Amino acid sequence: MRKALAFLTLLGRASAPNESTMAWFPAVGALLGLTIGGLWWLVAKAWPPLVAAAIVVIADLIFTGGLHFDGLADAGDGLLAPLSKERRLQAMADPAIGAFGALTVAAVLLLRFGSLADLRPAPLVLGGLWCASRTSMVAIVETVPYARTSGIVQSFLGTSPRGTRQRVVMLGSITLGLLVATGLVLLGRGARGLWALVGELAAMGAVAMFSWRRVGGFTGDVLGAAGVIGETVGLLILVTR
């Protein structure tokens, strides 16, 4: 778990990921969501909803080191711009942020802020949605081909084909992650929370399929983008009237 915590957040010491790191993604996601949700509950007692929502959005960026939003920006530049497959992959590897990436990040941040500002604090729901987003990242890695021949994701995949034991571990991680996420959203918001979870999973699946069509699979940036977009869709469903 230490390696997953170090990779996904700023709470752990820097540590190179390995093939078993992703199995801990759901647990770290739940911990991260519950931590941010707890902060939301606290700041909402001291500040009005708009200020509390801004603090929560910023805290999420800080705790994750902006990792997933960096992926969102790169994926926006690579997947949305009218480019060839090779150019798309090059655009996602370029550290500079283009117009498509900047607009994508701005839109998602506005939607997250607006949703949180219109909700009463829901730590359990955030724990569930954040757990589900990291769980779905594991599911994407296990079901969608990797679009690159090298990269940070290769550290998670390893250099040899996954054995039966490793696949069973990952399947168990996905199953447990979904069970925990479902339990948290149901406890936090009942049926509305469950619909938010369903919408989140559907959105992440759509991002993965869109990437598969555009570049032949997923990349590390696509995983981050899918997670952020999925969480945002879940929040939007929570505030539907």
Side-chain angles (χ1 to χ4, degrees), residues 17-228:
N18 57 32
E19 294 176 48
S20 63
T21 302
M22 288 205 80
W24 291 100
F25 271 32
V28 174
L31 177 62
L32 181 62
L34 290 171
T35 300
I36 296 172
L39 175 65
W40 184 17
W41 182 78
L42 286 174
V43 298
K45 293 183 174 296
W47 286 285
L50 290 177
V51 177
I55 292 174
V56 172
V57 170
I58 293 170
D60 183 46
L61 288 169
I62 292 173
F63 287 160
T64 60
L67 175 67
H68 304 314
F69 273 89
D70 178 65
L72 178 66
D74 289 337
D77 282 330
L79 300 181
L80 299 181
L83 302 168
S84 65
K85 174 184 173 180
E86 292 71 22
R87 288 290 309 281
R88 291 184 191 282
L89 290 171
Q90 290 173 8
M92 283 192 277
D94 189 343
I97 299 178
F100 285 93
L103 289 172
T104 301
V105 169
V108 170
L109 282 173
L110 283 173
L111 289 173
R112 288 166 83 90
F113 169 75
S115 299
L116 290 167
D118 197 50
L119 283 169
R120 68 181 189 275
L124 293 179
V125 176
L126 252 62
L129 294 180
W130 267 233
C131 174
S133 68
R134 276 69 181 180
T135 301
S136 294
M137 291 180 190
V138 182
I140 291 171
V141 170
E142 291 297 305
T143 57
V144 179
Y146 187 41
R148 298 187 186 279
T149 57
S150 63
I152 186 63
V153 176
Q154 202 64 50
S155 300
F156 298 107
L157 298 176
T159 56
S160 58
R162 288 181 182 273
T164 301
R165 180 179 179 278
Q166 187 68 12
R167 289 191 176 277
V168 169
V169 168
M170 291 304 171
L171 180 60
S173 173
I174 294 168
T175 302
L176 185 58
L178 290 176
L179 288 174
V180 170
T182 301
L184 287 172
V185 297
L186 282 173
L187 287 172
R189 281 291 189 274
R192 179 62 63 89
L194 186 59
W195 279 115
L197 176 61
V198 171
E200 175 186 37
L201 297 176
M204 291 190 67
V207 172
M209 293 302 100
F210 184 65
S211 176
W212 197 345
R213 182 174 179 179
R214 290 274 171 146
V215 297
F218 76 93
T219 68
D221 292 323
V222 170
L223 291 181
V228 171

